[in-house]
PDB file of all heavy atoms in Angstrom:
ATOM      1  N   PHE A 181     -12.469 -24.805   0.343  1.00 91.00           N
ATOM      2  CA  PHE A 181     -13.704 -24.730  -0.438  1.00 91.00           C
ATOM      3  C   PHE A 181     -14.852 -25.396   0.439  1.00 91.00           C
ATOM      4  O   PHE A 181     -14.637 -25.990   1.510  1.00 91.00           O
ATOM      5  CB  PHE A 181     -13.494 -25.567  -1.754  1.00 91.00           C
ATOM      6  CG  PHE A 181     -13.171 -26.964  -1.594  1.00 91.00           C
ATOM      7  CD1 PHE A 181     -14.227 -27.966  -1.534  1.00 91.00           C
ATOM      8  CD2 PHE A 181     -11.881 -27.407  -1.511  1.00 91.00           C
ATOM      9  CE1 PHE A 181     -13.910 -29.304  -1.357  1.00 91.00           C
ATOM     10  CE2 PHE A 181     -11.611 -28.762  -1.281  1.00 91.00           C
ATOM     11  CZ  PHE A 181     -12.547 -29.713  -1.254  1.00 91.00           C
ATOM     12  N   ILE A 182     -16.035 -25.086  -0.062  1.00 92.00           N
ATOM     13  CA  ILE A 182     -17.239 -25.765   0.597  1.00 92.00           C
ATOM     14  C   ILE A 182     -17.915 -26.762  -0.359  1.00 92.00           C
ATOM     15  O   ILE A 182     -18.085 -26.392  -1.522  1.00 92.00           O
ATOM     16  CB  ILE A 182     -18.243 -24.658   0.870  1.00 92.00           C
ATOM     17  CG1 ILE A 182     -17.692 -23.573   1.796  1.00 92.00           C
ATOM     18  CG2 ILE A 182     -19.560 -25.196   1.546  1.00 92.00           C
ATOM     19  CD1 ILE A 182     -18.618 -22.277   1.977  1.00 92.00           C
ATOM     20  N   GLN A 183     -18.036 -27.938   0.160  1.00 93.00           N
ATOM     21  CA  GLN A 183     -18.639 -29.040  -0.703  1.00 93.00           C
ATOM     22  C   GLN A 183     -20.133 -28.841  -0.750  1.00 93.00           C
ATOM     23  O   GLN A 183     -20.758 -28.302   0.128  1.00 93.00           O
ATOM     24  CB  GLN A 183     -18.264 -30.386  -0.106  1.00 93.00           C
ATOM     25  CG  GLN A 183     -16.788 -30.700  -0.237  1.00 93.00           C
ATOM     26  CD  GLN A 183     -16.571 -32.132   0.259  1.00 93.00           C
ATOM     27  OE1 GLN A 183     -17.229 -32.664   1.169  1.00 93.00           O
ATOM     28  NE2 GLN A 183     -15.540 -32.808  -0.273  1.00 93.00           N
ATOM     29  N   GLU A 184     -20.734 -29.374  -1.881  1.00 92.00           N
ATOM     30  CA  GLU A 184     -22.173 -29.457  -1.987  1.00 92.00           C
ATOM     31  C   GLU A 184     -22.722 -30.399  -0.926  1.00 92.00           C
ATOM     32  O   GLU A 184     -22.075 -31.338  -0.478  1.00 92.00           O
ATOM     33  CB  GLU A 184     -22.537 -29.945  -3.380  1.00 92.00           C
ATOM     34  CG  GLU A 184     -22.211 -28.987  -4.477  1.00 92.00           C
ATOM     35  CD  GLU A 184     -22.727 -29.553  -5.764  1.00 92.00           C
ATOM     36  OE1 GLU A 184     -23.466 -30.549  -5.857  1.00 92.00           O
ATOM     37  OE2 GLU A 184     -22.237 -29.048  -6.819  1.00 92.00           O
ATOM     38  N   SER A 185     -23.974 -30.161  -0.594  1.00 93.00           N
ATOM     39  CA  SER A 185     -24.711 -31.064   0.405  1.00 93.00           C
ATOM     40  C   SER A 185     -26.109 -31.254  -0.004  1.00 93.00           C
ATOM     41  O   SER A 185     -26.684 -30.412  -0.838  1.00 93.00           O
ATOM     42  CB  SER A 185     -24.638 -30.371   1.828  1.00 93.00           C
ATOM     43  OG  SER A 185     -25.203 -29.179   1.881  1.00 93.00           O
ATOM     44  N   GLU A 186     -26.719 -32.327   0.441  1.00 94.00           N
ATOM     45  CA  GLU A 186     -28.141 -32.573   0.103  1.00 94.00           C
ATOM     46  C   GLU A 186     -29.049 -31.639   0.740  1.00 94.00           C
ATOM     47  O   GLU A 186     -30.108 -31.304   0.216  1.00 94.00           O
ATOM     48  CB  GLU A 186     -28.417 -34.057   0.435  1.00 94.00           C
ATOM     49  CG  GLU A 186     -27.668 -35.010  -0.389  1.00 94.00           C
ATOM     50  CD  GLU A 186     -28.101 -36.471  -0.083  1.00 94.00           C
ATOM     51  OE1 GLU A 186     -28.991 -36.628   0.827  1.00 94.00           O
ATOM     52  OE2 GLU A 186     -27.611 -37.454  -0.645  1.00 94.00           O
ATOM     53  N   GLU A 187     -28.792 -31.138   1.928  1.00 94.00           N
ATOM     54  CA  GLU A 187     -29.540 -30.294   2.588  1.00 94.00           C
ATOM     55  C   GLU A 187     -28.774 -28.904   2.949  1.00 94.00           C
ATOM     56  O   GLU A 187     -27.529 -28.999   3.067  1.00 94.00           O
ATOM     57  CB  GLU A 187     -30.019 -30.785   3.977  1.00 94.00           C
ATOM     58  CG  GLU A 187     -30.937 -32.081   3.806  1.00 94.00           C
ATOM     59  CD  GLU A 187     -32.259 -31.727   3.135  1.00 94.00           C
ATOM     60  OE1 GLU A 187     -32.705 -30.539   3.386  1.00 94.00           O
ATOM     61  OE2 GLU A 187     -32.835 -32.652   2.450  1.00 94.00           O
ATOM     62  N   PRO A 188     -29.449 -27.830   3.050  1.00 94.00           N
ATOM     63  CA  PRO A 188     -28.735 -26.582   3.328  1.00 94.00           C
ATOM     64  C   PRO A 188     -27.957 -26.640   4.648  1.00 94.00           C
ATOM     65  O   PRO A 188     -28.517 -27.159   5.712  1.00 94.00           O
ATOM     66  CB  PRO A 188     -29.844 -25.501   3.442  1.00 94.00           C
ATOM     67  CG  PRO A 188     -30.934 -25.998   2.584  1.00 94.00           C
ATOM     68  CD  PRO A 188     -30.904 -27.615   2.820  1.00 94.00           C
ATOM     69  N   THR A 189     -26.701 -26.343   4.721  1.00 96.00           N
ATOM     70  CA  THR A 189     -25.903 -26.387   5.887  1.00 96.00           C
ATOM     71  C   THR A 189     -25.233 -24.996   6.109  1.00 96.00           C
ATOM     72  O   THR A 189     -25.063 -24.261   5.199  1.00 96.00           O
ATOM     73  CB  THR A 189     -24.788 -27.447   5.813  1.00 96.00           C
ATOM     74  OG1 THR A 189     -24.030 -27.191   4.623  1.00 96.00           O
ATOM     75  CG2 THR A 189     -25.438 -28.802   5.666  1.00 96.00           C
ATOM     76  N   GLU A 190     -25.032 -24.674   7.408  1.00 96.00           N
ATOM     77  CA  GLU A 190     -24.390 -23.426   7.734  1.00 96.00           C
ATOM     78  C   GLU A 190     -22.959 -23.337   7.185  1.00 96.00           C
ATOM     79  O   GLU A 190     -22.226 -24.397   7.154  1.00 96.00           O
ATOM     80  CB  GLU A 190     -24.376 -23.287   9.212  1.00 96.00           C
ATOM     81  CG  GLU A 190     -25.742 -23.099   9.886  1.00 96.00           C
ATOM     82  CD  GLU A 190     -25.727 -22.620  11.319  1.00 96.00           C
ATOM     83  OE1 GLU A 190     -24.638 -22.498  11.803  1.00 96.00           O
ATOM     84  OE2 GLU A 190     -26.832 -22.500  11.899  1.00 96.00           O
ATOM     85  N   ARG A 191     -22.576 -22.199   6.871  1.00 96.00           N
ATOM     86  CA  ARG A 191     -21.277 -21.974   6.218  1.00 96.00           C
ATOM     87  C   ARG A 191     -20.245 -21.131   7.100  1.00 96.00           C
ATOM     88  O   ARG A 191     -19.191 -20.819   6.606  1.00 96.00           O
ATOM     89  CB  ARG A 191     -21.421 -21.308   4.818  1.00 96.00           C
ATOM     90  CG  ARG A 191     -22.682 -21.786   4.086  1.00 96.00           C
ATOM     91  CD  ARG A 191     -22.729 -21.247   2.734  1.00 96.00           C
ATOM     92  NE  ARG A 191     -22.163 -22.167   1.757  1.00 96.00           N
ATOM     93  CZ  ARG A 191     -22.130 -21.934   0.451  1.00 96.00           C
ATOM     94  NH1 ARG A 191     -22.585 -20.766  -0.001  1.00 96.00           N
ATOM     95  NH2 ARG A 191     -21.620 -22.842  -0.424  1.00 96.00           N
ATOM     96  N   ALA A 192     -20.803 -20.844   8.272  1.00 96.00           N
ATOM     97  CA  ALA A 192     -19.945 -19.917   9.114  1.00 96.00           C
ATOM     98  C   ALA A 192     -18.579 -20.439   9.372  1.00 96.00           C
ATOM     99  O   ALA A 192     -17.508 -19.705   9.396  1.00 96.00           O
ATOM    100  CB  ALA A 192     -20.625 -19.663  10.434  1.00 96.00           C
ATOM    101  N   TRP A 193     -18.425 -21.799   9.574  1.00 96.00           N
ATOM    102  CA  TRP A 193     -17.126 -22.378   9.796  1.00 96.00           C
ATOM    103  C   TRP A 193     -16.006 -22.012   8.759  1.00 96.00           C
ATOM    104  O   TRP A 193     -14.950 -21.788   9.073  1.00 96.00           O
ATOM    105  CB  TRP A 193     -17.306 -23.933   9.881  1.00 96.00           C
ATOM    106  CG  TRP A 193     -17.732 -24.529   8.575  1.00 96.00           C
ATOM    107  CD1 TRP A 193     -18.971 -24.775   8.191  1.00 96.00           C
ATOM    108  CD2 TRP A 193     -16.851 -24.978   7.541  1.00 96.00           C
ATOM    109  NE1 TRP A 193     -19.012 -25.346   6.912  1.00 96.00           N
ATOM    110  CE2 TRP A 193     -17.727 -25.498   6.464  1.00 96.00           C
ATOM    111  CE3 TRP A 193     -15.492 -25.014   7.348  1.00 96.00           C
ATOM    112  CZ2 TRP A 193     -17.184 -25.992   5.268  1.00 96.00           C
ATOM    113  CZ3 TRP A 193     -14.989 -25.463   6.171  1.00 96.00           C
ATOM    114  CH2 TRP A 193     -15.858 -25.979   5.134  1.00 96.00           C
ATOM    115  N   TYR A 194     -16.574 -21.998   7.536  1.00 97.00           N
ATOM    116  CA  TYR A 194     -15.586 -21.715   6.372  1.00 97.00           C
ATOM    117  C   TYR A 194     -15.150 -20.277   6.483  1.00 97.00           C
ATOM    118  O   TYR A 194     -13.946 -19.950   6.407  1.00 97.00           O
ATOM    119  CB  TYR A 194     -16.268 -21.994   5.064  1.00 97.00           C
ATOM    120  CG  TYR A 194     -15.424 -21.570   3.849  1.00 97.00           C
ATOM    121  CD1 TYR A 194     -14.274 -22.382   3.484  1.00 97.00           C
ATOM    122  CD2 TYR A 194     -15.632 -20.408   3.133  1.00 97.00           C
ATOM    123  CE1 TYR A 194     -13.471 -21.993   2.359  1.00 97.00           C
ATOM    124  CE2 TYR A 194     -14.849 -19.976   2.143  1.00 97.00           C
ATOM    125  CZ  TYR A 194     -13.813 -20.739   1.696  1.00 97.00           C
ATOM    126  OH  TYR A 194     -12.990 -20.371   0.737  1.00 97.00           O
ATOM    127  N   TRP A 195     -16.135 -19.274   6.612  1.00 97.00           N
ATOM    128  CA  TRP A 195     -15.822 -17.928   6.504  1.00 97.00           C
ATOM    129  C   TRP A 195     -15.062 -17.481   7.748  1.00 97.00           C
ATOM    130  O   TRP A 195     -14.071 -16.746   7.552  1.00 97.00           O
ATOM    131  CB  TRP A 195     -17.094 -17.145   6.491  1.00 97.00           C
ATOM    132  CG  TRP A 195     -17.903 -17.362   5.200  1.00 97.00           C
ATOM    133  CD1 TRP A 195     -19.142 -17.929   5.109  1.00 97.00           C
ATOM    134  CD2 TRP A 195     -17.448 -17.058   3.888  1.00 97.00           C
ATOM    135  NE1 TRP A 195     -19.519 -17.990   3.743  1.00 97.00           N
ATOM    136  CE2 TRP A 195     -18.483 -17.396   3.058  1.00 97.00           C
ATOM    137  CE3 TRP A 195     -16.257 -16.478   3.339  1.00 97.00           C
ATOM    138  CZ2 TRP A 195     -18.401 -17.366   1.629  1.00 97.00           C
ATOM    139  CZ3 TRP A 195     -16.232 -16.337   2.002  1.00 97.00           C
ATOM    140  CH2 TRP A 195     -17.204 -16.792   1.123  1.00 97.00           C
ATOM    141  N   VAL A 196     -15.326 -17.956   8.950  1.00 97.00           N
ATOM    142  CA  VAL A 196     -14.514 -17.587  10.130  1.00 97.00           C
ATOM    143  C   VAL A 196     -13.029 -18.182   9.993  1.00 97.00           C
ATOM    144  O   VAL A 196     -12.110 -17.423  10.314  1.00 97.00           O
ATOM    145  CB  VAL A 196     -15.191 -18.186  11.369  1.00 97.00           C
ATOM    146  CG1 VAL A 196     -14.364 -17.977  12.560  1.00 97.00           C
ATOM    147  CG2 VAL A 196     -16.542 -17.550  11.575  1.00 97.00           C
ATOM    148  N   ASP A 197     -12.936 -19.413   9.509  1.00 96.00           N
ATOM    149  CA  ASP A 197     -11.580 -19.972   9.355  1.00 96.00           C
ATOM    150  C   ASP A 197     -10.807 -19.161   8.340  1.00 96.00           C
ATOM    151  O   ASP A 197      -9.641 -18.885   8.597  1.00 96.00           O
ATOM    152  CB  ASP A 197     -11.725 -21.437   8.926  1.00 96.00           C
ATOM    153  CG  ASP A 197     -10.404 -22.116   8.671  1.00 96.00           C
ATOM    154  OD1 ASP A 197      -9.661 -22.270   9.648  1.00 96.00           O
ATOM    155  OD2 ASP A 197     -10.089 -22.392   7.475  1.00 96.00           O
ATOM    156  N   ARG A 198     -11.414 -18.793   7.168  1.00 96.00           N
ATOM    157  CA  ARG A 198     -10.733 -18.061   6.155  1.00 96.00           C
ATOM    158  C   ARG A 198     -10.301 -16.712   6.674  1.00 96.00           C
ATOM    159  O   ARG A 198      -9.205 -16.236   6.395  1.00 96.00           O
ATOM    160  CB  ARG A 198     -11.549 -17.966   4.878  1.00 96.00           C
ATOM    161  CG  ARG A 198     -11.728 -19.191   4.051  1.00 96.00           C
ATOM    162  CD  ARG A 198     -10.512 -20.029   3.912  1.00 96.00           C
ATOM    163  NE  ARG A 198      -9.302 -19.208   3.500  1.00 96.00           N
ATOM    164  CZ  ARG A 198      -8.090 -19.669   3.533  1.00 96.00           C
ATOM    165  NH1 ARG A 198      -7.811 -20.947   4.010  1.00 96.00           N
ATOM    166  NH2 ARG A 198      -7.073 -18.900   3.152  1.00 96.00           N
ATOM    167  N   PHE A 199     -11.210 -16.048   7.348  1.00 97.00           N
ATOM    168  CA  PHE A 199     -10.877 -14.729   7.848  1.00 97.00           C
ATOM    169  C   PHE A 199      -9.659 -14.771   8.876  1.00 97.00           C
ATOM    170  O   PHE A 199      -8.783 -13.915   8.758  1.00 97.00           O
ATOM    171  CB  PHE A 199     -12.087 -14.177   8.640  1.00 97.00           C
ATOM    172  CG  PHE A 199     -11.780 -12.866   9.332  1.00 97.00           C
ATOM    173  CD1 PHE A 199     -11.564 -11.711   8.634  1.00 97.00           C
ATOM    174  CD2 PHE A 199     -11.728 -12.882  10.754  1.00 97.00           C
ATOM    175  CE1 PHE A 199     -11.236 -10.501   9.326  1.00 97.00           C
ATOM    176  CE2 PHE A 199     -11.485 -11.604  11.426  1.00 97.00           C
ATOM    177  CZ  PHE A 199     -11.177 -10.478  10.699  1.00 97.00           C
ATOM    178  N   GLU A 200      -9.660 -15.708   9.728  1.00 96.00           N
ATOM    179  CA  GLU A 200      -8.506 -15.811  10.732  1.00 96.00           C
ATOM    180  C   GLU A 200      -7.196 -16.001   9.985  1.00 96.00           C
ATOM    181  O   GLU A 200      -6.164 -15.454  10.390  1.00 96.00           O
ATOM    182  CB  GLU A 200      -8.759 -16.926  11.632  1.00 96.00           C
ATOM    183  CG  GLU A 200      -7.804 -16.982  12.873  1.00 96.00           C
ATOM    184  CD  GLU A 200      -7.924 -15.725  13.688  1.00 96.00           C
ATOM    185  OE1 GLU A 200      -9.072 -15.132  13.816  1.00 96.00           O
ATOM    186  OE2 GLU A 200      -6.917 -15.328  14.298  1.00 96.00           O
ATOM    187  N   LYS A 201      -7.262 -16.709   8.837  1.00 95.00           N
ATOM    188  CA  LYS A 201      -6.019 -16.953   8.068  1.00 95.00           C
ATOM    189  C   LYS A 201      -5.611 -15.878   7.128  1.00 95.00           C
ATOM    190  O   LYS A 201      -4.552 -15.715   6.718  1.00 95.00           O
ATOM    191  CB  LYS A 201      -6.165 -18.266   7.259  1.00 95.00           C
ATOM    192  CG  LYS A 201      -6.222 -19.522   8.135  1.00 95.00           C
ATOM    193  CD  LYS A 201      -6.481 -20.783   7.355  1.00 95.00           C
ATOM    194  CE  LYS A 201      -6.608 -21.987   8.276  1.00 95.00           C
ATOM    195  NZ  LYS A 201      -7.037 -23.206   7.475  1.00 95.00           N
ATOM    196  N   GLU A 202      -6.620 -15.054   6.738  1.00 93.00           N
ATOM    197  CA  GLU A 202      -6.406 -14.050   5.721  1.00 93.00           C
ATOM    198  C   GLU A 202      -6.350 -12.592   6.161  1.00 93.00           C
ATOM    199  O   GLU A 202      -6.013 -11.685   5.442  1.00 93.00           O
ATOM    200  CB  GLU A 202      -7.611 -14.140   4.705  1.00 93.00           C
ATOM    201  CG  GLU A 202      -7.570 -15.430   3.811  1.00 93.00           C
ATOM    202  CD  GLU A 202      -8.843 -15.428   3.011  1.00 93.00           C
ATOM    203  OE1 GLU A 202      -9.394 -14.399   2.730  1.00 93.00           O
ATOM    204  OE2 GLU A 202      -9.139 -16.576   2.488  1.00 93.00           O
ATOM    205  N   LYS A 203      -6.763 -12.305   7.343  1.00 94.00           N
ATOM    206  CA  LYS A 203      -6.989 -10.890   7.801  1.00 94.00           C
ATOM    207  C   LYS A 203      -5.819 -10.121   7.616  1.00 94.00           C
ATOM    208  O   LYS A 203      -5.850  -8.848   7.326  1.00 94.00           O
ATOM    209  CB  LYS A 203      -7.660 -10.849   9.250  1.00 94.00           C
ATOM    210  CG  LYS A 203      -6.795 -11.410  10.407  1.00 94.00           C
ATOM    211  CD  LYS A 203      -7.661 -11.406  11.592  1.00 94.00           C
ATOM    212  CE  LYS A 203      -6.988 -12.099  12.742  1.00 94.00           C
ATOM    213  NZ  LYS A 203      -7.767 -12.133  13.942  1.00 94.00           N
ATOM    214  N   LYS A 204      -4.624 -10.605   7.881  1.00 93.00           N
ATOM    215  CA  LYS A 204      -3.363  -9.826   7.747  1.00 93.00           C
ATOM    216  C   LYS A 204      -3.029  -9.463   6.289  1.00 93.00           C
ATOM    217  O   LYS A 204      -2.708  -8.356   5.920  1.00 93.00           O
ATOM    218  CB  LYS A 204      -2.188 -10.459   8.451  1.00 93.00           C
ATOM    219  CG  LYS A 204      -2.355 -10.540   9.995  1.00 93.00           C
ATOM    220  CD  LYS A 204      -1.087 -11.024  10.622  1.00 93.00           C
ATOM    221  CE  LYS A 204      -1.256 -11.039  12.125  1.00 93.00           C
ATOM    222  NZ  LYS A 204       0.042 -11.502  12.837  1.00 93.00           N
ATOM    223  N   ASP A 205      -3.203 -10.516   5.463  1.00 91.00           N
ATOM    224  CA  ASP A 205      -3.086 -10.274   3.948  1.00 91.00           C
ATOM    225  C   ASP A 205      -4.154  -9.318   3.529  1.00 91.00           C
ATOM    226  O   ASP A 205      -3.842  -8.465   2.661  1.00 91.00           O
ATOM    227  CB  ASP A 205      -3.301 -11.583   3.184  1.00 91.00           C
ATOM    228  CG  ASP A 205      -1.981 -12.396   3.236  1.00 91.00           C
ATOM    229  OD1 ASP A 205      -0.882 -11.734   3.062  1.00 91.00           O
ATOM    230  OD2 ASP A 205      -2.002 -13.611   3.338  1.00 91.00           O
ATOM    231  N   LEU A 206      -5.380  -9.397   3.975  1.00 91.00           N
ATOM    232  CA  LEU A 206      -6.468  -8.483   3.603  1.00 91.00           C
ATOM    233  C   LEU A 206      -6.078  -7.014   3.902  1.00 91.00           C
ATOM    234  O   LEU A 206      -6.330  -6.228   3.042  1.00 91.00           O
ATOM    235  CB  LEU A 206      -7.693  -8.883   4.410  1.00 91.00           C
ATOM    236  CG  LEU A 206      -9.018  -8.156   3.945  1.00 91.00           C
ATOM    237  CD1 LEU A 206      -9.538  -8.846   2.730  1.00 91.00           C
ATOM    238  CD2 LEU A 206     -10.085  -8.234   5.091  1.00 91.00           C
ATOM    239  N   LEU A 207      -5.490  -6.813   5.046  1.00 92.00           N
ATOM    240  CA  LEU A 207      -5.093  -5.390   5.419  1.00 92.00           C
ATOM    241  C   LEU A 207      -3.934  -4.840   4.622  1.00 92.00           C
ATOM    242  O   LEU A 207      -3.697  -3.641   4.725  1.00 92.00           O
ATOM    243  CB  LEU A 207      -4.817  -5.391   6.977  1.00 92.00           C
ATOM    244  CG  LEU A 207      -6.009  -5.339   7.839  1.00 92.00           C
ATOM    245  CD1 LEU A 207      -5.511  -5.419   9.322  1.00 92.00           C
ATOM    246  CD2 LEU A 207      -6.807  -3.983   7.629  1.00 92.00           C
TER     247      LEU A 207
END
Side-chain angles (χ1 to χ4, degrees):
F181 60 93
I182 302 173
Q183 291 184 331
E184 294 183 12
S185 58
E186 294 183 358
E187 297 294 330
T189 57
E190 291 189 4
R191 323 185 96 178
W193 63 270
Y194 175 78
W195 295 116
V196 170
D197 177 68
R198 290 314 314 163
F199 172 70
E200 193 59 32
K201 293 174 179 176
E202 296 175 16
K203 58 187 174 185
K204 292 187 177 183
D205 280 320
L206 189 79
L207 280 173

